[in-house]
Amino acid sequence: MLFLVGALLVLGVVLGTVAHVPVPVSVAAGVAIALWLVLFAARERLSGHRAGRPDHRQGGL
């Protein structure tokens, strides 16, 4: 429950900030975040780790 309250607080702060900056700045920040997420997802996919599956390189079943 505390995590949810913190997440909502952060969301409110971020949305409040976006409301006061020019649209191009908001778009640039959104593109930067999206690019970071895409790079993170690609790195995770290429690393070969699979959630919920044992790692075959370590002798898991």
Side-chain angles (χ1 to χ4, degrees):
M1 181 68 179
L2 188 59
F3 175 76
L4 180 60
V5 171
L8 289 173
L9 179 67
V10 169
L11 179 64
V13 169
V14 170
L15 288 178
T17 302
V18 168
H20 295 286
V21 296
V23 173
V25 174
S26 297
V27 170
V31 168
I33 292 169
L35 180 63
W36 178 73
L37 288 173
V38 167
L39 291 173
F40 177 78
R43 186 186 69 177
E44 287 296 312
R45 182 169 293 266
L46 292 175
S47 72
H49 293 284
R50 299 282 187 252
R53 295 182 186 170
D55 192 1
H56 67 276
R57 291 172 288 182
Q58 295 179 358
L61 295 176

